[in-house]
Amino acid sequence: MNQAAEFSRAMQELGYRPHALARGLASKRSRIIALLFPASERGLGITELEFVTSAADTARENDYNMMLWPSEMHDPMELRQFTQQGLVDGVILMEVRLNDDA
């Protein structure tokens, strides 16, 4: 058995799981998608819950985690900083405005 296979077997036996932040540093990707949903405006109904659940399932199927951001983002620069700092790889917006600054 080669060394890589031995490491893999040992990791599996020990139940090792890679540290998400360390993996993100190495790959320069967080593997996190943020879902912005201003829940305070109208709450989370059946349709919204189905959307959130489907988005989370799809993220997981593609080896991503999903973070729910349940408050309204008033400053478009805040969203820009969120993505530029590498905290998330992408953002799903559930609500948009007709006259959005971003």
Side-chain angles (χ1 to χ4, degrees):
M1 185 181 306
N2 67 28
Q3 190 174 17
E6 288 179 32
F7 282 140
S8 179
R9 185 177 55 81
M11 288 173 18
Q12 194 171 31
E13 285 177 12
L14 296 171
Y16 171 79
R17 299 286 179 256
H19 191 277
L21 293 176
R23 192 173 80 174
L25 286 172
S27 68
K28 296 185 175 30
R29 302 188 82 188
S30 68
R31 307 298 299 172
I32 297 172
I33 296 173
L35 182 110
L36 275 65
F37 175 68
S40 61
E41 286 185 14
R42 67 171 191 236
L44 193 63
I46 292 288
T47 302
E48 291 84 5
L49 185 59
E50 287 178 3
F51 183 90
V52 170
T53 303
S54 295
D57 289 345
T58 302
R60 187 175 38 255
E61 289 167 7
N62 290 281
D63 197 27
Y64 278 83
N65 294 299
M66 192 177 79
M67 176 181 78
L68 182 61
W69 187 288
S71 62
E72 188 171 345
M73 194 167 286
H74 298 285
D75 182 7
M77 285 305 296
E78 185 179 1
L79 180 58
R80 221 172 258 123
Q81 288 174 345
F82 200 55
T83 55
Q84 288 174 344
Q85 291 174 355
L87 298 173
V88 296
D89 290 336
V91 177
I92 300 170
L93 298 173
M94 284 188 67
E95 299 284 333
V96 293
R97 296 185 183 123
L98 291 175
N99 297 314
D100 201 347
D101 293 335

